[in-house]
Amino acid sequence: MAQALHVGMVAPPWYDVPPRTYGGIEAVVAGLVRGLRDRGHRVTVIGAGRRVDLRTYDEPPSARIGEPYPEVVHAAEAARLLRGLDVDVVHDHSLAGPLTAAGRLVPTVVTCHNDVSGELGDYYRGLGSDVSLVAVSSAQRAHAPDLHWVGRVHNAVDVAAWPFRERKDDWVLWLGRLSQDKGAHLAIEAARAAGRRLLLVGRQAGQAERAYFRERVEPLLGPDVEYLGEAEGPLKSELFSRARCLVLPLLWDEPFGMVMIEAMACGTPVVALRRGAVPEIVVDGVTGYVRDTPAELPAAIEAVPALDPKAVRARVVRHFDVPVMAEGYERVYREVTAAAPAAPRRPLPLGR
Protein backbone atom coordinates (compact mmCIF):
# COMPACT_ATOMS: atom_id res chain seq x y z
CA MET A 1 0.00 0.00 0.00
CA ALA A 2 1.38 3.42 -0.95
CA GLN A 3 2.41 5.72 1.87
CA ALA A 4 -0.07 8.41 2.90
CA LEU A 5 0.86 11.98 2.01
CA HIS A 6 0.59 15.20 3.98
CA VAL A 7 -0.80 17.90 1.70
CA GLY A 8 -0.71 21.60 2.51
CA MET A 9 -3.87 22.88 0.75
CA VAL A 10 -3.96 26.65 0.15
CA ALA A 11 -7.40 28.02 -0.73
CA PRO A 12 -8.12 31.51 -2.11
CA PRO A 13 -8.82 34.12 0.59
CA TRP A 14 -12.22 35.32 -0.55
CA TYR A 15 -14.77 32.81 0.83
CA ASP A 16 -15.16 30.10 3.45
CA VAL A 17 -14.10 26.54 2.69
CA PRO A 18 -16.57 25.00 2.09
CA PRO A 19 -18.40 28.14 0.91
CA ARG A 20 -21.61 29.16 2.66
CA THR A 21 -23.17 30.40 -0.62
CA TYR A 22 -21.08 31.55 -3.58
CA GLY A 23 -17.52 30.23 -4.09
CA GLY A 24 -16.85 27.87 -7.00
CA ILE A 25 -13.12 27.30 -6.37
CA GLU A 26 -13.75 26.95 -2.64
CA ALA A 27 -16.36 24.26 -3.32
CA VAL A 28 -13.86 22.34 -5.47
CA VAL A 29 -11.20 22.66 -2.76
CA ALA A 30 -13.59 21.42 -0.07
CA GLY A 31 -14.56 18.41 -2.19
CA LEU A 32 -10.93 17.60 -2.92
CA VAL A 33 -10.01 17.77 0.77
CA ARG A 34 -12.80 15.32 1.63
CA GLY A 35 -11.79 13.02 -1.19
CA LEU A 36 -8.11 12.99 -0.19
CA ARG A 37 -8.94 12.33 3.45
CA ASP A 38 -11.22 9.47 2.41
CA ARG A 39 -8.19 8.01 0.62
CA GLY A 40 -6.18 8.11 3.85
CA HIS A 41 -4.14 11.28 3.30
CA ARG A 42 -3.54 14.05 5.81
CA VAL A 43 -4.62 17.47 4.54
CA THR A 44 -4.02 20.79 6.29
CA VAL A 45 -6.23 23.51 4.80
CA ILE A 46 -4.95 27.09 4.89
CA GLY A 47 -7.48 29.77 4.05
CA ALA A 48 -9.74 32.51 5.40
CA GLY A 49 -12.58 32.09 7.86
CA ARG A 50 -13.30 29.68 10.67
CA ARG A 51 -13.87 26.50 8.65
CA VAL A 52 -10.23 25.89 7.75
CA ASP A 53 -7.39 24.36 9.76
CA LEU A 54 -5.09 27.40 9.69
CA ARG A 55 -6.43 30.92 9.11
CA THR A 56 -4.93 33.85 7.24
CA TYR A 57 -8.02 36.00 7.98
CA ASP A 58 -10.52 35.43 10.78
CA GLU A 59 -13.28 36.35 8.32
CA PRO A 60 -12.98 36.12 4.52
CA PRO A 61 -12.54 39.63 3.01
CA SER A 62 -15.27 38.96 0.45
CA ALA A 63 -16.26 42.62 0.11
CA ARG A 64 -12.72 43.42 -1.10
CA ILE A 65 -12.56 40.78 -3.82
CA GLY A 66 -10.32 41.95 -6.65
CA GLU A 67 -8.17 44.20 -4.44
CA PRO A 68 -4.46 43.32 -4.34
CA TYR A 69 -3.70 43.57 -0.62
CA PRO A 70 -5.88 40.68 0.62
CA GLU A 71 -4.24 38.46 -1.99
CA VAL A 72 -0.66 39.31 -1.04
CA VAL A 73 -1.32 39.32 2.72
CA HIS A 74 -2.95 35.90 2.34
CA ALA A 75 0.01 34.61 0.31
CA ALA A 76 2.58 35.86 2.79
CA GLU A 77 0.73 34.47 5.80
CA ALA A 78 0.12 31.13 4.06
CA ALA A 79 3.84 30.87 3.29
CA ARG A 80 4.64 31.54 6.96
CA LEU A 81 2.17 28.89 8.12
CA LEU A 82 3.55 26.35 5.64
CA ARG A 83 7.05 26.81 7.05
CA GLY A 84 5.76 25.36 10.30
CA LEU A 85 4.28 22.26 8.66
CA ASP A 86 6.00 19.04 7.66
CA VAL A 87 4.19 18.55 4.35
CA ASP A 88 5.08 16.40 1.36
CA VAL A 89 3.50 18.71 -1.20
CA VAL A 90 1.79 22.11 -1.31
CA HIS A 91 -1.34 22.47 -3.46
CA ASP A 92 -2.07 26.14 -4.06
CA HIS A 93 -5.37 27.42 -5.50
CA SER A 94 -4.71 31.12 -4.83
CA LEU A 95 -3.46 33.76 -7.24
CA ALA A 96 -0.45 35.25 -5.42
CA GLY A 97 0.52 32.17 -3.41
CA PRO A 98 2.58 30.51 -6.18
CA LEU A 99 5.04 33.44 -5.97
CA THR A 100 6.35 31.87 -2.74
CA ALA A 101 6.97 28.42 -4.25
CA ALA A 102 10.64 28.99 -5.05
CA GLY A 103 11.44 29.43 -1.38
CA ARG A 104 10.36 25.98 -0.23
CA LEU A 105 11.94 22.53 -0.47
CA VAL A 106 8.79 20.52 -1.27
CA PRO A 107 7.05 20.75 -4.66
CA THR A 108 4.16 23.14 -5.24
CA VAL A 109 1.20 22.04 -7.36
CA VAL A 110 -1.01 24.83 -8.73
CA THR A 111 -4.45 24.28 -10.21
CA CYS A 112 -5.17 26.78 -13.01
CA HIS A 113 -8.81 27.64 -12.42
CA ASN A 114 -8.97 30.48 -14.95
CA ASP A 115 -8.11 31.38 -18.53
CA VAL A 116 -4.36 31.02 -19.19
CA SER A 117 -4.31 32.48 -22.70
CA GLY A 118 -3.55 36.03 -21.52
CA GLU A 119 -1.70 37.67 -18.65
CA LEU A 120 -2.37 34.78 -16.27
CA GLY A 121 -0.44 32.56 -18.67
CA ASP A 122 2.41 35.08 -18.70
CA TYR A 123 2.42 34.99 -14.89
CA TYR A 124 2.71 31.19 -14.76
CA ARG A 125 5.29 31.32 -17.55
CA GLY A 126 7.42 33.57 -15.39
CA LEU A 127 7.24 31.11 -12.50
CA GLY A 128 8.65 28.38 -14.73
CA SER A 129 9.41 25.04 -13.09
CA ASP A 130 9.04 26.45 -9.56
CA VAL A 131 5.41 25.33 -9.82
CA SER A 132 3.79 22.23 -11.30
CA LEU A 133 0.63 23.26 -13.13
CA VAL A 134 -2.56 21.21 -13.38
CA ALA A 135 -5.16 22.07 -16.00
CA VAL A 136 -8.88 21.64 -15.32
CA SER A 137 -9.47 20.68 -18.96
CA SER A 138 -7.52 19.72 -22.05
CA ALA A 139 -9.01 22.76 -23.79
CA GLN A 140 -7.47 25.04 -21.17
CA ARG A 141 -4.07 23.37 -21.52
CA ALA A 142 -4.16 23.74 -25.31
CA HIS A 143 -4.35 27.54 -24.97
CA ALA A 144 -0.85 27.63 -23.45
CA PRO A 145 0.92 24.34 -24.22
CA ASP A 146 4.35 25.74 -23.30
CA LEU A 147 3.56 26.14 -19.60
CA HIS A 148 4.98 23.73 -17.01
CA TRP A 149 2.02 21.37 -17.06
CA VAL A 150 2.20 18.12 -15.10
CA GLY A 151 -1.35 16.91 -15.61
CA ARG A 152 -5.03 17.50 -16.24
CA VAL A 153 -7.65 16.82 -13.58
CA HIS A 154 -11.28 17.74 -14.20
CA ASN A 155 -13.19 19.53 -11.46
CA ALA A 156 -15.81 17.52 -9.60
CA VAL A 157 -18.93 17.67 -7.46
CA ASP A 158 -20.21 15.41 -4.71
CA VAL A 159 -22.78 13.70 -6.90
CA ALA A 160 -24.64 12.20 -3.93
CA ALA A 161 -25.38 15.73 -2.66
CA TRP A 162 -27.29 16.65 -5.83
CA PRO A 163 -30.91 15.42 -6.10
CA PHE A 164 -31.66 13.16 -9.05
CA ARG A 165 -35.05 13.57 -10.71
CA GLU A 166 -36.07 11.52 -13.71
CA ARG A 167 -39.26 13.40 -14.62
CA LYS A 168 -38.52 16.95 -15.69
CA ASP A 169 -40.65 20.07 -15.92
CA ASP A 170 -41.23 21.78 -19.26
CA TRP A 171 -39.17 24.96 -18.70
CA VAL A 172 -35.48 25.43 -19.46
CA LEU A 173 -32.80 26.99 -17.28
CA TRP A 174 -29.90 29.38 -17.67
CA LEU A 175 -27.72 29.77 -14.57
CA GLY A 176 -24.43 31.58 -14.13
CA ARG A 177 -22.69 34.90 -13.72
CA LEU A 178 -24.42 37.60 -15.76
CA SER A 179 -21.50 38.33 -18.03
CA GLN A 180 -21.98 38.75 -21.76
CA ASP A 181 -19.54 35.88 -22.37
CA LYS A 182 -22.00 33.51 -20.68
CA GLY A 183 -24.63 34.21 -23.34
CA ALA A 184 -27.80 34.74 -21.28
CA HIS A 185 -29.34 36.81 -24.10
CA LEU A 186 -28.75 33.94 -26.53
CA ALA A 187 -30.35 31.48 -24.10
CA ILE A 188 -33.46 33.67 -24.01
CA GLU A 189 -33.64 33.81 -27.80
CA ALA A 190 -33.14 30.03 -28.12
CA ALA A 191 -35.78 29.16 -25.54
CA ARG A 192 -38.25 31.60 -27.08
CA ALA A 193 -37.65 30.15 -30.55
CA ALA A 194 -38.28 26.68 -29.11
CA GLY A 195 -41.51 27.90 -27.51
CA ARG A 196 -40.25 27.08 -24.01
CA ARG A 197 -40.36 29.13 -20.83
CA LEU A 198 -36.92 30.12 -19.49
CA LEU A 199 -35.89 30.71 -15.90
CA LEU A 200 -32.85 32.97 -15.70
CA VAL A 201 -30.70 32.76 -12.57
CA GLY A 202 -27.49 34.69 -12.01
CA ARG A 203 -25.28 37.13 -10.17
CA GLN A 204 -24.62 40.74 -11.20
CA ALA A 205 -21.28 41.07 -9.47
CA GLY A 206 -19.88 44.25 -11.00
CA GLN A 207 -20.64 47.34 -13.04
CA ALA A 208 -20.04 45.62 -16.38
CA GLU A 209 -22.43 42.80 -15.50
CA ARG A 210 -25.13 45.20 -14.29
CA ALA A 211 -24.79 47.15 -17.53
CA TYR A 212 -25.03 43.95 -19.59
CA PHE A 213 -28.16 42.90 -17.75
CA ARG A 214 -29.77 46.31 -18.13
CA GLU A 215 -28.94 46.71 -21.83
CA ARG A 216 -29.02 43.17 -23.27
CA VAL A 217 -31.07 40.96 -20.94
CA GLU A 218 -33.74 43.01 -19.19
CA PRO A 219 -35.35 44.21 -22.47
CA LEU A 220 -35.88 40.54 -23.41
CA LEU A 221 -37.75 39.59 -20.23
CA GLY A 222 -41.45 38.83 -20.46
CA PRO A 223 -44.12 36.30 -19.50
CA ASP A 224 -42.00 33.49 -20.95
CA VAL A 225 -38.68 34.64 -19.42
CA GLU A 226 -38.43 35.15 -15.67
CA TYR A 227 -35.35 36.48 -13.87
CA LEU A 228 -35.05 34.96 -10.37
CA GLY A 229 -31.89 36.73 -9.22
CA GLU A 230 -29.22 34.68 -7.49
CA ALA A 231 -29.91 31.14 -6.29
CA GLU A 232 -27.82 29.00 -3.96
CA GLY A 233 -28.31 25.94 -1.77
CA PRO A 234 -31.67 24.12 -1.91
CA LEU A 235 -33.19 26.45 -4.52
CA LYS A 236 -30.27 25.92 -6.89
CA SER A 237 -30.52 22.14 -6.46
CA GLU A 238 -34.26 22.21 -7.08
CA LEU A 239 -33.89 24.28 -10.25
CA PHE A 240 -31.20 21.99 -11.65
CA SER A 241 -33.18 18.83 -10.91
CA ARG A 242 -36.51 20.06 -12.32
CA ALA A 243 -35.36 21.83 -15.52
CA ARG A 244 -35.96 20.30 -18.93
CA CYS A 245 -32.35 21.22 -19.70
CA LEU A 246 -29.63 23.73 -18.93
CA VAL A 247 -28.92 26.05 -21.87
CA LEU A 248 -25.35 27.35 -22.03
CA PRO A 249 -24.57 29.44 -25.14
CA LEU A 250 -21.00 30.35 -24.15
CA LEU A 251 -19.28 33.08 -26.14
CA TRP A 252 -15.80 32.37 -24.77
CA ASP A 253 -13.56 29.37 -24.22
CA GLU A 254 -14.40 28.71 -20.59
CA PRO A 255 -11.77 26.43 -19.01
CA PHE A 256 -14.37 24.24 -17.29
CA GLY A 257 -17.88 25.25 -16.22
CA MET A 258 -19.15 23.79 -12.94
CA VAL A 259 -22.81 24.45 -13.77
CA MET A 260 -22.67 21.75 -16.43
CA ILE A 261 -21.69 18.95 -14.07
CA GLU A 262 -24.03 20.26 -11.35
CA ALA A 263 -26.98 20.05 -13.75
CA MET A 264 -25.96 16.65 -15.09
CA ALA A 265 -25.53 15.29 -11.54
CA CYS A 266 -29.29 15.93 -11.22
CA GLY A 267 -29.92 14.01 -14.44
CA THR A 268 -30.54 17.22 -16.36
CA PRO A 269 -29.06 17.43 -19.90
CA VAL A 270 -27.01 20.40 -21.10
CA VAL A 271 -27.53 22.17 -24.42
CA ALA A 272 -24.42 24.22 -25.17
CA LEU A 273 -22.27 25.81 -27.82
CA ARG A 274 -18.97 24.17 -28.71
CA ARG A 275 -16.63 26.45 -26.76
CA GLY A 276 -13.80 25.73 -24.33
CA ALA A 277 -14.23 22.57 -22.29
CA VAL A 278 -17.84 21.94 -23.34
CA PRO A 279 -17.05 18.95 -25.62
CA GLU A 280 -15.02 17.35 -22.80
CA ILE A 281 -17.89 17.63 -20.35
CA VAL A 282 -21.03 17.13 -22.46
CA VAL A 283 -21.26 13.98 -24.57
CA ASP A 284 -23.34 14.93 -27.59
CA GLY A 285 -26.44 12.75 -27.84
CA VAL A 286 -25.89 11.19 -24.38
CA THR A 287 -25.71 13.89 -21.69
CA GLY A 288 -26.89 16.77 -23.85
CA TYR A 289 -26.31 18.39 -27.21
CA VAL A 290 -23.26 20.35 -28.36
CA ARG A 291 -23.90 22.71 -31.24
CA ASP A 292 -21.80 25.12 -33.31
CA THR A 293 -24.18 28.07 -33.76
CA PRO A 294 -26.96 29.72 -31.73
CA ALA A 295 -29.41 28.98 -34.56
CA GLU A 296 -29.08 25.25 -33.79
CA LEU A 297 -30.00 25.55 -30.12
CA PRO A 298 -33.84 25.61 -30.38
CA ALA A 299 -33.96 22.25 -32.15
CA ALA A 300 -31.56 20.82 -29.57
CA ILE A 301 -33.82 22.03 -26.75
CA GLU A 302 -36.74 20.26 -28.40
CA ALA A 303 -34.73 17.02 -28.78
CA VAL A 304 -33.85 16.76 -25.08
CA PRO A 305 -36.62 14.25 -24.11
CA ALA A 306 -34.81 11.63 -26.21
CA LEU A 307 -32.00 11.59 -23.60
CA ASP A 308 -32.03 9.32 -20.54
CA PRO A 309 -31.61 11.23 -17.24
CA LYS A 310 -30.12 8.10 -15.63
CA ALA A 311 -27.38 7.99 -18.26
CA VAL A 312 -26.76 11.71 -17.75
CA ARG A 313 -26.12 11.23 -14.02
CA ALA A 314 -24.14 8.02 -14.54
CA ARG A 315 -21.67 9.89 -16.74
CA VAL A 316 -21.02 12.38 -13.94
CA VAL A 317 -20.48 9.57 -11.42
CA ARG A 318 -17.87 7.98 -13.68
CA HIS A 319 -15.98 11.12 -14.65
CA PHE A 320 -16.81 14.11 -12.42
CA ASP A 321 -17.43 12.75 -8.92
CA VAL A 322 -15.18 13.76 -6.01
CA PRO A 323 -13.40 10.36 -5.70
CA VAL A 324 -12.35 10.60 -9.37
CA MET A 325 -10.87 14.06 -8.82
CA ALA A 326 -9.10 12.99 -5.62
CA GLU A 327 -7.54 10.00 -7.37
CA GLY A 328 -6.32 12.27 -10.18
CA TYR A 329 -4.64 14.69 -7.79
CA GLU A 330 -3.11 11.89 -5.75
CA ARG A 331 -1.48 10.66 -8.95
CA VAL A 332 -0.10 14.17 -9.61
CA TYR A 333 1.22 14.49 -6.04
CA ARG A 334 3.05 11.17 -6.26
CA GLU A 335 4.61 12.08 -9.60
CA VAL A 336 5.91 15.47 -8.46
CA THR A 337 7.16 14.23 -5.09
CA ALA A 338 8.96 11.31 -6.75
CA ALA A 339 10.66 13.71 -9.17
CA ALA A 340 11.62 16.28 -6.52
CA PRO A 341 15.19 16.27 -5.17
CA ALA A 342 15.53 14.94 -1.65
CA ALA A 343 15.39 17.67 0.97
CA PRO A 344 18.75 18.26 2.63
CA ARG A 345 19.12 17.09 6.19
CA ARG A 346 19.25 19.77 8.84
CA PRO A 347 22.68 19.79 10.48
CA LEU A 348 22.80 18.68 14.08
CA PRO A 349 23.80 21.43 16.56
CA LEU A 350 27.46 21.21 17.52
CA GLY A 351 28.37 20.81 21.17
CA ARG A 352 30.49 23.48 22.80
Side-chain angles (χ1 to χ4, degrees), residues 9-35:
M9 189 75 67
V10 182
W14 305 114
Y15 300 102
D16 288 291
V17 180
R20 298 177 188 275
T21 53
Y22 182 77
I25 296 175
E26 289 79 6
V28 171
V29 171
L32 176 58
V33 170
R34 288 196 309 274

Side-chain angles (χ1 to χ4, degrees), residues 88-114:
D88 298 296
V89 61
V90 172
H91 189 171
D92 203 324
H93 299 263
S94 71
L95 177 61
L99 289 167
T100 66
R104 64 177 64 102
L105 298 175
V106 299
T108 298
V109 171
V110 174
T111 296
C112 300
H113 289 282
N114 296 301

